[in-house]
Structures are given as C-alpha cells and as structure tokens.
Amino acid sequence: MYHRRVGGQSQFSNLLDLEPKSDRIQTVLTYAKRNLRKTLSVEELAKVAHLSPRQFSRLFRAETGRSPAKAIEGLRAEEARIMIESGEHSIDEVAEHTGFGDRDRMRRAFRRAFGQPPQFLKRKARLNP
C-alpha cells in the first residue's frame, strides 16, 4: 500500500490515518490539532491524556503506530499543505502558524511527508487556481 497518492492528488488525512483506539489518544490528537502553533511536548500531551509521559508515549505508539513527535509533525504538515494550497499565506506565515517555526524545518517535514518541498505546492496552487 502506498503512503502517498500519485499524480498530485490530495493526501489522506493524517488525523484519520492515525486511528486511535482510545478516547484518551483521540482527545490528545484533537488538542494537538487545535494547538499546532504551540511546542506540544510529550509532557504537555501526557497531561492532556492524564498519563505519565512514559505511559503516554507507549500508549500513543501502540494505538497509532507512530511516536507522538512524528504524529504531530504529520498534523502540522497536513495543516500547512492546506494553507499553502489556499494561496492566501506566505511560506513563512504558514511555518509560523503551524508550529514549524521556520521555513527550513517545514521544508524538511514536507519532503518526508509529501516528497516535495512546500514551494512546489505553492507554485502548483498558483498555476491551478
């Protein structure tokens, strides 16, 4: 099964892809999605789940198949992609709004998530309004 869709098609939702089994982890993902601009440390996310950081990390990985850091990066990349495709924001604004902090960090995350830099999506969005 492919992780990326071919032909420039939209990616599946990272949030849906995680499919947590418990309400605790679903609550954490919803909290993270609403607070992408924040740092979102394991300690903070563990508090949201009412677990110790170690218990939280284990449960999160067991339920989603990803580490909390990789899941948050995926949520940030998805939100950034949506913002870039809208064509209303600069790359720097998107990086700040989604919690990447700077364009270089966002570019590296985009390459991992989508195989393309954010500038590619921005150019594509301009060509296909």
Side-chain angles (χ1 to χ4, degrees), residues 48-111:
V48 172
H50 304 290
L51 296 167
S52 73
R54 186 174 175 162
Q55 288 174 314
F56 168 72
S57 292
R58 286 181 180 174
L59 181 62
F60 192 95
R61 186 179 289 277
E63 289 196 18
T64 66
R66 294 186 193 173
S67 71
K70 287 293 180 192
I72 299 302
E73 181 180 272
L75 292 174
R76 285 184 169 135
E78 180 180 314
E79 182 68 21
R81 179 186 56 81
I82 292 166
M83 289 179 72
I84 288 169
E85 287 177 347
S86 78
E88 299 174 13
H89 308 279
S90 72
I91 297 290
D92 291 326
E93 289 171 335
V94 172
E96 183 179 330
H97 178 79
T98 56
F100 283 113
D102 64 63
R103 65 183 2 202
D104 290 333
R105 190 168 160 216
M106 186 171 75
R107 181 183 48 76
R108 288 189 300 272
F110 258 69
R111 286 226 180 255

